[in-house]
Amino acid sequence: GRQPKWDLHLPIPGRLITEVAPDVPGIRRSFTYTASGSPADGSPVVQCAHWETTDEGERTAVLEAAMACMRRSGYVVLERLLPEKLVLEAGEEFRQYKTSLPHGVTFQRMRASRDMTIPPFEGLWTDDRLVRHPLVLALIARYLRNSTDVSDEKATELCFAQWVTAGCPIDEFLTGPTSAGFPVMDLLVVVDTPAGAPAQSRHRDTILPGPCASIGVHIPLTPLQVSPL
């Protein structure tokens, strides 16, 4: 019979979500954008296209709206925060850099046919808008509270196990013994997804326990479009 396609990230009018999404029974998938490409009602999307030219008061309003989305949904889409030209140039520069690398430099043992490369700290990759945008830094500073020492992986795993067996109390990271954390950048990488790669299964990107533990900033270097799906 016809094989289902798992690489669809937008709902298709007239078709059940379960036909196109690899979900298990009991899991309900929600979409941030509708099939037309516009944000779905109630989705955590904040318009940021005018960040560079707006005044301080409006920037504060954008920050508050983004933080509210983080608290409610666990993530936020900062739509059009970066100029399209900058993102496209970063993608092109990365392609040129990657093709010049010797074999073995790119980490290829990733799930779902992806690979990972650390970009050079030069050229566009030193642009503050990419590596330390003020809105992103403000969100990170407000969100992160976990002071777990990740340099000792075994100790971190034990901390996670103890937190789970204690009932996963969020107060431990808000006012408790591990609430004095400060942001530390772990790694800046480019994950390359080849055409036709399968969707990733649900997974954790960190073993740090609980909310307020870590945050990932994703910048798509490939233009996203509604069609063709």
Side-chain angles (χ1 to χ4, degrees), residues 167-186:
C168 306
I170 186 61
D171 286 343
E172 181 170 335
F173 303 104
L174 298 179
T175 58
T178 54
S179 63
F182 56 90
V184 175
M185 178 178 283
D186 178 43

Side-chain angles (χ1 to χ4, degrees), residues 49-70:
H50 303 295
W51 175 269
E52 295 292 338
T53 58
T54 193
D55 59 36
E56 194 63 31
E58 292 186 13
R59 287 188 176 186
T60 299
V62 169
L63 171 60
E64 295 296 342
M67 194 64 211
C69 288
M70 286 277 292

Side-chain angles (χ1 to χ4, degrees), residues 146 150 156 160 186 203-210 213-216:
N146 194 328
V150 297
T156 303
F160 177 66
D186 178 43
H203 62 277
R204 292 176 64 94
D205 281 337
T206 174
I207 62 171
L208 286 175
S214 66
I215 188 170

